[in-house]
Amino acid sequence: MRLIRRLLLFLVMAAYGLVFLAQERIFQERPATLQPVPAAAFLRAATGYLKQLTSEILFVQSSVFIGGILPGTAPNTYAPALAHNYRQITTLYPRFIDPYYFAQAHLPHVDPEFARATNDVLVTARKAHPTELVFPFFQGFNLFRYLDEPLEAAEVFRQASLLPEAPPMFGRLAAILTAQGGQLQAAIISLQVMVKTTDDEAVKKRCYDEINMFRQALRVQKAVNDFFTAQQRYPDALDELVPGFLPALPTFGDAFVLTWNPPNVGLQRPHLEKAKPSAPLLRP
């Protein structure tokens, strides 16, 4: 019985090698195409104990395809099949780590649809590798950069900050993105928790500095609320608050800029521009 299994394994590997060489020759002769693979449930039933080898073969097939893409090919022509295949490969054998990195490298920038597809694949990654920090980082980055969802990104980073060996960066990213989403008080609470749970004096100082800045932004939010009570409308831009409700708008140097997405005041890193423009801070 063991001899038969070894023989079958040898035949599968030999067949894979022949298919790989044939596919590589085809790619050299004409533009690469990628066919969607069967569903993972079918592959799991069909391959049995060979699911790891099958997932690796399908992954290599997709990698060969990527290497054969002609310059100038529109990514949205092959992204659906690529997203489908990575979904099936990782469902078939979740411990296989390489497809997660390839999905992150080749899909999120194509379109928000594929950023979401990548994050779905990364859900499997986080279940299979629960202590790996890179996968929640990828998810949070996709939510912020490609999907313009800072509060959802903040929650991913908050969860990651609770993992063993998580660096303070995750907690601070959660707080900063919470503030960007207009939840200033929640951001302050997050930073206060960090101050109480770290012995790193440099981290504490950065947290205290950011808490003070978030509190200044909260005063702007209070002025907005007072403006609404008095005028029964929100200001078109935050400079309408001056001087009746604030003596001046606070400034934060190179650390943050105020954002205004009615009814919420937020803070945003100057170098982390959102995909969608926010409402005007000052009148033109």
Side-chain angles (χ1 to χ4, degrees), residues 244-268:
F245 298 88
L246 279 176
L249 292 175
T251 57
F252 306 95
D254 295 330
F256 293 101
V257 293
L258 283 168
T259 61
W260 174 227
N261 291 289
N264 295 321
V265 173
L267 284 174
Q268 178 178 316

Side-chain angles (χ1 to χ4, degrees), residues 10-277:
F10 174 78
L11 291 174
V12 169
M13 294 180 67
Y16 162 68
L18 292 174
V19 170
F20 179 87
L21 292 174
Q23 188 176 44
E24 186 177 26
R25 177 171 296 180
I26 291 171
F27 283 175
Q28 291 174 352
E29 296 173 355
R30 66 183 185 186
T33 58
L34 182 65
Q35 297 299 320
V37 303
F42 171 82
L43 292 172
R44 187 181 293 111
T47 58
Y49 292 109
L50 297 178
K51 60 179 178 292
Q52 178 178 353
L53 177 62
T54 303
S55 66
E56 291 173 352
I57 290 173
L58 296 173
F59 171 72
V60 171
Q61 181 186 49
S62 295
S63 301
V64 171
F65 163 78
I66 291 171
I69 296 173
L70 295 177
T73 303
N76 57 10
T77 61
Y78 58 80
L82 200 60
H84 169 83
N85 287 6
Y86 285 140
R87 172 79 272 166
Q88 305 314 312
I89 291 168
T90 55
T91 301
L92 179 64
Y93 188 62
R95 297 291 301 171
F96 188 14
I97 202 166
D98 290 1
Y100 303 121
Y101 286 90
F102 272 66
Q104 179 65 27
H106 295 287
L107 291 173
H109 67 278
V110 176
D111 184 89
E113 172 189 353
F114 299 112
R116 294 192 186 281
T118 302
N119 273 12
D120 288 342
V121 170
L122 292 171
V123 168
T124 302
R126 293 181 65 184
K127 290 179 179 177
H129 305 275
T131 62
E132 288 288 341
L133 294 169
V134 68
F135 299 129
F137 179 82
F138 285 162
Q139 278 190 318
F141 179 82
N142 293 341
L143 285 164
F144 165 73
R145 176 64 181 86
Y146 299 114
L147 297 172
D148 191 28
E149 297 177 357
L151 292 178
E152 287 78 2
E155 176 59 19
V156 169
F157 286 123
R158 186 198 65 79
Q159 294 173 9
S161 71
L162 304 177
L163 294 174
E165 308 300 326
M169 172 190 72
F170 282 86
R172 291 187 64 241
L173 281 171
I176 290 168
L177 291 170
T178 299
Q180 180 165 322
Q183 301 296 321
L184 293 166
Q185 188 61 58
I188 290 173
I189 293 171
S190 296
L191 290 174
Q192 288 172 333
V193 170
M194 284 192 65
V195 168
K196 293 179 179 179
T197 56
T198 184
D199 296 324
D200 189 321
E201 292 301 321
V203 171
K204 284 186 177 182
K205 183 180 184 306
R206 286 195 295 270
C207 289
Y208 280 127
D209 290 342
E210 288 169 354
I211 286 171
N212 289 332
M213 287 185 274
F214 291 176
R215 284 174 174 163
Q216 291 182 62
L218 266 181
R219 287 194 284 272
V220 179
Q221 181 69 66
K222 181 180 182 304
V224 164
N225 297 341
D226 292 343
F227 182 99
F228 182 83
T229 299
Q231 305 287 341
Q232 294 301 301
R233 67 176 182 87
Y234 287 109
D236 295 327
L238 293 181
D239 66 346
E240 285 191 65
L241 302 174
V242 179
F245 298 88
L246 279 176
L249 292 175
T251 57
F252 306 95
D254 295 330
F256 293 101
V257 293
L258 283 168
T259 61
W260 174 227
N261 291 289
N264 295 321
V265 173
L267 284 174
Q268 178 178 316
R269 292 290 195 191
H271 57 287
L272 297 179
E273 295 183 0
K274 296 169 68 176
K276 293 190 298 184

